[in-house]
Amino acid sequence: MTVSDVSLDTFLDSGRWDGKINIAGWTDGSGGSRDVVEPATGAVLGRFGVATASDVGRAATVAAEAQHAWAATRPEERAAILRRAGQLWEEHAEEIQRWIIRESGGIPAKAALETHIAANECYEAAALPSHPAGEVLTSNEARWSFARRRPAGVVSVIAPFNFPLILSIRSVAPALALGNAVLLKPDPRTAVCGGVALMRVFEEAGLPAGVLSLLPGGAETGAAVVEAAEVRVVSFTGSTAAGRKVGEAAARHLKRAHLELGGNNALIVLPGADVAKAASAGAFGSFMHQGQICMTTGRHLVHESVYDAYVAALSEKASHLPVGDPASGAVALGPIIDESQLKRIHSIVEDAVQAGARIAAGGTHEGLFYRPTVLADLSPDNPAFAEEIFGPVAPVVKFSTLDEAVELVNANEYGLSVGILGDVGAAMTIADRVHSGKVHINEQTVLDEANAPFGGVGASGTGSRFGGATANIEAFTEVQWLTMRPEIAPYPF
């Protein structure tokens, strides 16, 4: 999609949003506008409006006013809007996928996954308005006593570039369904597929004006959506370094922050595992969307009995995966999102080699297209093994015993996702001992479903705060104690 191709769009017609933000309607952002740049070609696809702190303040005021009426809307009406949103993701999937491919650099299969999960997130959220909203408590007094769930109020959602649609909608949809208003700040690198697309879907679904605001911008905008007085909950997905700042700012203002952060996820290949199947799983885990996923397999822990065969099989797959523009042909990997991220990836690979690693495949790039890379013969203190790379790099380390494998997993500060391949009995004993928000036996580390709780521990975040009724209700509501007596209670004063 070049600028001339934008006219082919209807649902996401840029004439509606070009150079604009959305605060109860499309309007100019006080920060001017920025180009939407295609990482694969450098082409300009359009322009989006940039929100400033003053825009955020105005949006927060509007949201707080609109939220009261929205929370009072009948549950069946809120549910109907969420169901209609799910249908719109399906009806306009092809057009939205084109933007995901061009703007985020994702391959078509990745784009299709995003719209599919976006629809499912809305369908799951549509059940929340009619979900039981509390419980009846016992009391020592002659009264009724209830603990009831109430909307938090205004929720800020800060989403990253890598899966811009999924990582926005998984908070936006349940927060809206539960009666909250939302301030959405997408990453400026994916402001259309991570922001404009959501705004258009909920506009067409019938969401009242002001309940959802679109506020693209940089660090200043991010700080403002955390600090705005009307905001009660912040849902942040991004790097651990940025998440610490968000958490600190939210704590200063006595707000809840749900943080889903980085990961250096381990895939354990047990003795006796099918090497061909394990290498296929490992390649998907490390190279899907160029490794730019919080759940990416960043550490391959392979038993010494199958280590050499696994490195060879994984390297063979890496060497034959096509890399290129995902809009121009059938490729397995597209571009890295920008030059800054590519330089960081390559620097870690170079440092890993300096520290003794061997490049078994890849390690080179042309422009933003980085070859899938396999690093072998690492020690656990090698930077490629210790750090989150966020690129298509698969570091492989051998282990001798299950105890050693568990120690290697738990020695890292991150705790998001662990995959274990091979004997189920051995895998079960490992699952009970690793510190991780998610464990997948005989699957790789990149898994997500709308009805499943999602989140990490340690440097990966503040636990499972997304997905499923229980996690979403806890994330986006407050508990209120309510009592009732048949008449005014007697008091000794």
Side-chain angles (χ1 to χ4, degrees):
M1 185 186 311
T2 63
V3 172
S4 60
D5 293 326
V6 174
S7 60
L8 299 175
D9 290 335
T10 54
F11 188 69
L12 294 181
D13 178 13
S14 61
R16 185 187 304 268
W17 54 265
D18 184 70
K20 299 185 183 299
I21 62 176
N22 194 298
I23 304 173
W26 296 101
T27 184
D28 292 337
S30 300
S33 64
R34 283 179 55 177
D35 289 341
V36 181
V37 178
E38 180 181 28
T41 66
V44 175
L45 307 178
R47 295 180 306 129
F48 64 91
V50 178
T52 63
S54 63
D55 292 323
V56 172
R58 182 160 58 93
T61 299
V62 169
E65 294 173 355
Q67 187 268 331
H68 295 295
W70 174 242
T73 301
R74 292 190 305 173
E76 67 178 6
E77 294 178 20
R78 279 187 274 133
I81 288 174
L82 268 296
R83 286 194 298 272
R84 178 60 182 145
Q87 294 167 352
L88 287 165
W89 289 119
E90 295 175 337
E91 292 171 11
H92 299 284
E94 184 177 347
E95 183 178 336
I96 294 167
Q97 287 166 21
R98 288 202 304 270
W99 276 98
I100 295 171
I101 292 166
R102 306 305 293 264
E103 188 183 23
S104 80
I107 63 174
K110 181 259 193 186
L113 176 67
E114 291 220 52
T115 55
H116 174 71
I117 290 184
N120 283 346
E121 289 284 357
C122 289
Y123 292 139
E124 287 290 330
L128 294 176
S130 58
H131 196 278
E135 55 186 343
V136 179
L137 309 175
T138 60
S139 177
N140 290 320
E141 299 292 329
R143 60 178 168 227
W144 291 349
S145 181
F146 306 91
R148 63 175 185 164
R149 289 282 182 173
R150 307 288 291 159
V154 179
V155 174
S156 287
V157 176
I158 304 174
F161 72 85
N162 54 328
F163 272 73
L165 176 49
I166 292 176
L167 300 181
S168 296
I169 194 67
R170 71 173 180 186
S171 292
V172 170
L176 292 175
L178 290 164
N180 300 284
V182 174
L183 307 181
L184 172 60
K185 194 208 86 66
D187 190 298
R189 292 169 288 188
T190 47
V192 179
C193 54
V196 172
L198 284 90
M199 197 74 239
R200 289 291 296 121
V201 161
F202 283 105
E203 276 186 323
E204 293 297 314
L207 187 71
V211 177
L212 174 65
S213 294
L214 175 61
L215 304 163
E220 175 196 1
T221 311
V225 299
V226 174
E227 296 170 1
E230 296 86 351
V231 171
R232 297 309 311 148
V233 171
V234 179
S235 177
F236 173 87
T237 303
S239 72
T240 298
R244 292 184 194 278
K245 294 178 181 178
V246 169
E248 290 168 1
R252 283 198 305 272
H253 294 276
L254 302 180
K255 302 176 183 185
R256 284 191 291 150
H258 306 311
L259 308 176
E260 200 276 286
L261 309 177
N264 191 358
N265 310 287
L267 182 69
I268 303 172
V269 181
L270 297 173
D274 185 309
V275 171
K277 290 182 178 180
S280 176
F284 184 93
S286 282
F287 305 140
M288 171 65 176
H289 193 46
Q290 299 80 263
Q292 298 173 126
I293 309 173
C294 60
M295 297 174 284
T296 288
T297 301
R299 295 179 291 157
H300 297 243
L301 311 181
V302 183
H303 190 263
E304 59 188 7
S305 63
V306 293
Y307 177 84
D308 291 337
Y310 181 85
V311 170
L314 185 62
S315 301
E316 178 72 11
K317 290 190 175 296
S319 299
H320 289 89
L321 290 173
V323 181
D325 183 352
S328 66
V331 300
L333 285 80
I336 302 302
I337 190 66
D338 59 24
E339 184 72 22
S340 174
Q341 180 62 19
L342 181 131
K343 287 181 177 178
R344 181 181 182 277
I345 294 166
H346 195 56
S347 175
I348 293 175
V349 170
E350 291 181 322
D351 289 346
V353 173
Q354 285 291 109
R358 171 174 60 90
I359 296 179
T364 62
H365 65 94
E366 294 182 12
L368 294 181
F369 299 98
Y370 205 92
R371 291 293 312 169
T373 298
V374 177
L375 297 176
D377 305 337
L378 287 80
S379 61
D381 59 354
N382 189 289
F385 190 78
E387 300 179 26
E388 180 186 28
I389 302 174
F390 221 67
V393 180
V396 190
V397 167
K398 70 175 65 174
F399 68 89
S400 300
T401 67
L402 297 189
D403 286 344
E404 183 184 358
V406 170
E407 290 172 4
L408 285 169
V409 172
N410 291 341
N412 194 271
E413 65 174 341
Y414 295 101
L416 179 56
S417 185
V418 171
I420 311 171
L421 306 180
D423 179 74
V424 173
M428 290 173 65
T429 65
I430 292 174
D432 286 340
R433 299 173 60 194
V434 294
H435 307 312
S436 181
K438 308 189 302 139
V439 178
H440 305 294
I441 295 176
N442 281 324
E443 298 188 275
Q444 45 76 45
T445 57
V446 183
L447 290 174
D448 188 14
E449 292 187 1
N451 66 327
F454 186 102
V457 298
S460 291
T462 52
S464 295
R465 296 292 183 265
F466 308 97
T470 300
N472 283 327
I473 290 171
E474 180 182 340
F476 300 117
T477 64
E478 302 284 2
V479 178
Q480 182 186 71
W481 184 31
L482 174 67
T483 65
M484 295 171 57
R485 285 178 179 265
E487 57 185 39
I488 298 174
Y491 293 96
F493 291 171

